[in-house]
Amino acid sequence: METFKALSANDPVEVGPYRIVARLGAGGMGSVYLGRSPGGRTVAVKVVRPDLAEDAQFRRRFAREVAAVVRVNGSFTAGVVDADPEGTPPWLATVYVPGMALGEAVTEHGPWPVRQVLALGAGLAEALEAIHAAGVVHRDLKPSNILLAPDGPRVIDFGISVFGEASRLTQTGMTVGTAGFMSPEQLTGGAIGPASDVFAFGSVLTYTATGTGPFGAGTAHVLHYRTVYERPALDALPDELRPLVAACLAKAPEDRPSVADLVRRLAEAAGGDTLHLTGGNHGQGPDWLPAAVGATLHQRSTATRPAEPPPPTSPPSGPPAGVTRRRALFGLAGVAAAGIGYGGWAALGDGGEYGPDGTADTPAKQPGSRLWTSSVVADGGDVGDGVDGADQTDAVPAVAGGLVYVATRKSLYAVTADRGTRRWTYTPDLGEGTLTQLPAPAKGGTVCLGAGGALHAVRADTGTRKWTAPADGGAYAIPVVSGGTVYVNSRGEPDSGRPGVLYAVAAATGEERWRHGSAPGTSYTLGPAVADGTVCVGSETALHGLDRAGGGQKWTYAGEDQAFTEVTASGTTLYISTIVDAGRSYRLQAISTETGQPTWQTDPDDSAYGSDAFGTPVAAGNLVYTSSASGSLYALHAKTGRVKWRIPLAETLTRPTLANGVAYVVGDGTLYALDATTGRTKWTHATKARIAAPPAVANGTAYLSSTSGTLYAITL
């Protein structure tokens, strides 16, 4: 698992649309953080080092690389979901994979048996195939860039790779790669292409099977010399692996096998033997991993594993592309039926679809069927996949008055809820700012959102501006409308002396009712969370309860050695997701919104809660629901915090939405509908799209917004 570290004073609190909640580590290009989107999605955010960010040549190359890596879409890669190559500094966000690094696994548990090495090789070869198909070379494939998950390995950090056309290093003294895993041509200045990754692949398999690399141990200079001039030491390799690895480690790139050859030779070496992803090692983990590694991964991610979701009543229409080849080594025949691995099933009785003009075939009516899809949000070219100026990232839909509202970074769109036809578009002058991506409908036909350092109110019927207030240039959080008042944060800039401010504004007129500033040197990054008589706001170190009527402070809650990451309010209780012990464990806690005193908190040492970070909690009835970083959905008793059930669903999950006794959550592009009391899966709908935002539910329909700007309406 990743080691989370508390943020320091020099770390950012926001990068693009992502709130930074912890530090994951650092690499050659910069720092890596755990970030959370407005929709609750957890991502790994890599921020480029200041010295590189100031290099114009590096920026141009980084922009080209981002445009390439965003096209990588493989089952065994952690893909790029968002980026800003022109940012200050540049950054990119990838899928967060809560898994153990291969290097850690070998260090702790020793070399792997040949059968498991072959399975690892199969996943890595498929990952390289996807990376190379996008015109990208990884350049730094090594054990620390390979994460182990229950359903196979994940290759990470290919954001530092380069276009195949960029054959040489472009900066004096800048070497991309790691000693012992770099190809000879990387060290001698030769042309760098897919064959360089094949060389690293051979080094990784050697390390996994023997515990050391093919060129032994020593200083970087010694390893570089051996890589270029000496033969690799392969005597300790099993016979099944030695010929394949030797071919990968050929000094000349043209003498190495292609990735397609690797896939074929690994399948032949496996001899038809399959490794199942679940149920191996006596329930301690997937048997594609060595028993000790699987047990450790299991203990860290699922202390008590509940039953898998039942299969759908109708089988999937067909396996995803490439599934036959993956089955050869990973035994995936049962995975689709179990609802894991590929993240769910095809829609049950998929109905007709609407095009951009809103015309439709006859829609199906059974639960989980698609009512319509609409690409009208993307019309005009300002919405895309989060790179190269596109403005769609985590568009959280909101539904009111027969319309669905979706805000991108630049525009607010309104489409009809019954057909998906665009009604209007609101595009304000933002300057250097962006829109908050969750619009807040208010009574009286008004929709509120933060835009360009001000709070905007838009007429729901026409999309014209109704009022703006206040305009202090601050970075606005998501507004909350309650009782005719709009509550919204301006985060503030502690370094420049500008405090954070919570505003209370009349929803009908925009008139300011009161404001509350943060303490000097602090900001408001969390909230507002509105309870019966209290509105809560704060930062990762302290939360404040304010009187809703006048903004007076009622209490402050702060704890030693804990950082608050998410807050929500329900009734008279505030639910808080927390990082404790400098990122070594996590806690969910409840405090009274009237007194600021804790009523319960989970115990990080209790195995019932797992060991991963909690997302945004959502209260409904007598339970509190939250997604975790490992892709599990929790239900906890609202009065005690005890776990009622915990269901592992997907690699990443959005914040859940609760409606009519059902919990709706999106994981890896699939909408899950679960019985809110038991956690049993009622149905699923697979969109095959990137969905980073939680669903909006209204009038018997769930609305989803993809990162590319497509809206989906699913019948409930």
Side-chain angles (χ1 to χ4, degrees), residues 176 188 222 234 268 396 419 483 659:
V176 178
T188 60
V222 169
L234 305 180
E268 292 174 353
V396 184
R419 299 179 64 84

Side-chain angles (χ1 to χ4, degrees), residues 515-659:
R515 66 171 66 184
H516 186 280
S518 66
T522 63
S523 62
Y524 280 161
T525 58
L526 295 177
V530 181
D532 286 347
T534 307
V535 56
C536 303
V537 66
S539 65
E540 68 173 20
T541 58
L543 297 173
H544 310 283
L546 310 177
D547 178 69
R548 285 184 61 179
Q553 184 160 317
K554 301 168 67 174
W555 50 260
T556 295
Y557 176 66
E560 295 183 1
D561 199 22
Q562 63 180 348
F564 307 126
T565 61
E566 303 286 349
V567 295
T568 55
S570 178
T572 58
T573 303
L574 188 71
Y575 299 99
I576 312 168
S577 297
T578 307
I579 298 176
V580 295
D581 299 330
R584 289 186 289 271
S585 54
Y586 310 91
R587 176 181 292 144
L588 191 67
Q589 52 188 314
I591 68 173
S592 167
T593 57
E594 290 300 315
T595 66
Q597 296 299 308
T599 57
W600 57 258
Q601 62 183 19
T602 60
D603 182 357
D605 295 327
D606 188 337
S607 61
Y609 301 101
S611 60
D612 57 349
F614 292 110
T616 306
V618 177
N622 297 321
L623 296 174
V624 180
Y625 304 83
T626 183
S627 302
S628 71
S630 66
S632 293
L633 184 65
Y634 286 78
L636 301 90
H637 293 279
K639 292 185 178 181
T640 65
R642 294 196 308 270
V643 172
K644 180 176 178 63
W645 51 257
R646 177 189 183 197
I647 304 294
L649 291 175
E651 193 169 279
T652 60
L653 291 179
T654 66
R655 181 180 73 243
T657 299
L658 277 295

Side-chain angles (χ1 to χ4, degrees), residues 10-209:
N10 296 324
D11 289 322
V13 294
E14 289 181 345
V15 174
Y18 303 100
R19 187 180 332 120
I20 301 303
V21 298
R23 173 183 277 269
L24 296 178
M29 268 184 31
S31 298
V32 185
Y33 300 95
L34 184 71
R36 186 152 297 137
S37 73
R41 184 180 193 180
T42 304
V43 297
V45 182
K46 171 168 284 190
V47 179
V48 172
R49 291 192 339 240
D51 59 316
L52 291 178
E54 294 174 0
D55 188 300
Q57 187 179 30
F58 174 86
R59 275 184 171 271
R60 288 192 296 270
R61 188 163 63 93
F62 181 71
R64 293 197 305 268
E65 291 166 11
V66 168
V69 299
V70 76
R71 298 195 298 266
V72 176
N73 186 22
S75 299
F76 298 117
T77 62
V80 174
V81 297
D82 197 1
D84 186 0
E86 304 302 325
T88 306
W91 58 270
L92 62 84
T94 67
V95 171
Y96 172 67
V97 181
M100 174 188 287
L102 175 62
E104 180 188 0
V106 174
T107 298
E108 290 189 5
H109 301 293
W112 289 21
V114 64
R115 186 166 174 260
Q116 277 73 24
V117 176
L118 290 171
L120 172 71
L124 297 183
E126 187 169 331
L128 289 178
E129 202 169 35
I131 293 169
H132 295 166
V136 175
V137 180
H138 191 296
R139 294 174 64 112
D140 198 20
L141 184 69
K142 58 184 178 181
S144 61
N145 278 340
I146 299 166
L147 298 182
L148 309 177
D151 58 343
R154 297 292 189 278
V155 173
I156 65 171
D157 216 7
F158 49 85
I160 67 169
S161 51
V162 298
F163 268 132
E165 67 191 38
S167 60
R168 296 178 182 269
L169 298 175
T170 56
Q171 285 186 276
T172 302
M174 181 179 178
T175 302
V176 178
T178 300
F181 297 92
M182 298 169 67
S183 65
E185 58 269 23
Q186 286 178 275
L187 299 170
T188 60
I192 299 171
S196 294
D197 288 344
V198 172
F199 189 95
F201 174 89
S203 298
V204 167
L205 293 195
T206 303
Y207 171 83
T208 307

Side-chain angles (χ1 to χ4, degrees), residues 269-288:
D273 193 15
T274 59
L275 298 179
H276 297 280
L277 301 184
T278 58
N281 299 337
H282 306 289
Q284 295 302 303
D287 70 352
W288 82 270

